[in-house]
Amino acid sequence: MALIEWSPEFSLGVAELDDEHRDLIQIVNQLYQQIQSGRYQTTVIDALEQLHTSAAGHFAHEEEMMRTHAYAAYEEHHADHRRLLAEVTAMIDQCQDGVDDDEAMARWLYVWFCNHFKTHDAPLHQLIGVSP
Ligand SMILES: [Fe+2]
Ligand SMILES: [Fe+2]
C-alpha cells in the first residue's frame, strides 16, 4: 500500500510542477515500500538521497516562480522547504549511523508532504494557476 496517494488537492495547476509533485510522492512511496520489505540500509539511503535531490530541484523551481511573482508568503514557504531538506539530511545521517527509526521517518515524511502541499503549495496554486 502506498504511503501517500495522489490527490487533486496536491495539484498546482501547472503541468511541470504537478509532474514534480507526482515524482516526489512516487519516491516517498518507493522508500516506504523498501522500509516495509525488510530493506537493505544502502537502498534506503539511496532513496533518501534521491528524494533530497528531487525535492531540492522542485523547491528551486517553485521558489523561482514565487520570486517572479513577488509572492508575499515566500519566506514561510522557503523555510518549510529548508525544513524538509534538513530533515532528510538528518535521516540519511541516522541511517548511516544505524540509529534510524523507520516508522517515525515514514510518518514524518507523510505529514510533511500532505501538510506542505495543502498549506503552502495550494495558496501558490491560486496565484500561478491563473497566470498565463
Ligand atoms: Fe511543491
Ligand atoms: Fe512548496
Side-chain angles (χ1 to χ4, degrees):
M1 195 182 133
L3 181 66
I4 304 175
E5 299 282 355
W6 174 262
S7 160
E9 62 188 344
F10 298 158
S11 168
L12 284 176
V14 176
E16 209 178 338
L17 292 174
D18 287 349
D19 286 347
E20 290 173 4
H21 277 186
R22 287 178 200 274
D23 287 346
L24 291 173
I25 289 175
Q26 194 184 0
I27 295 168
V28 171
N29 284 337
Q30 280 169 353
L31 173 67
Y32 184 60
Q33 257 179 356
Q34 285 157 0
I35 285 171
Q36 290 208 310
S37 60
R39 82 303 190 271
Y40 293 105
Q41 198 79 338
T42 49
T43 318
V44 171
I45 291 171
D46 286 350
L48 285 167
E49 285 174 345
Q50 193 193 351
L51 176 61
H52 192 284
T53 302
S54 297
H58 170 64
F59 295 163
H61 197 178
E62 264 184 13
E63 288 160 14
E64 185 190 340
M65 208 160 262
M66 286 192 275
R67 284 193 298 271
T68 300
H69 287 84
Y71 187 57
Y74 177 87
E75 287 305 327
E76 300 96 285
H77 198 144
H78 178 261
D80 206 42
H81 286 169
R82 299 302 113 186
R83 197 163 71 88
L84 182 275
L85 295 177
E87 188 64 27
V88 173
T89 299
M91 288 173 184
I92 292 170
D93 289 344
Q94 287 162 8
C95 283
Q96 282 168 341
D97 294 343
V99 294
D100 48 300
D101 178 340
D102 293 345
E103 280 307 313
M105 192 160 75
R107 197 165 47 244
W108 196 95
L109 290 172
Y110 174 84
V111 170
W112 189 91
F113 275 98
C114 291
N115 280 346
H116 185 86
F117 287 156
K118 289 179 197 168
T119 62
H120 290 278
D121 286 353
L124 185 59
H125 171 184
Q126 291 169 359
L127 175 73
I128 62 178
V130 295
S131 297

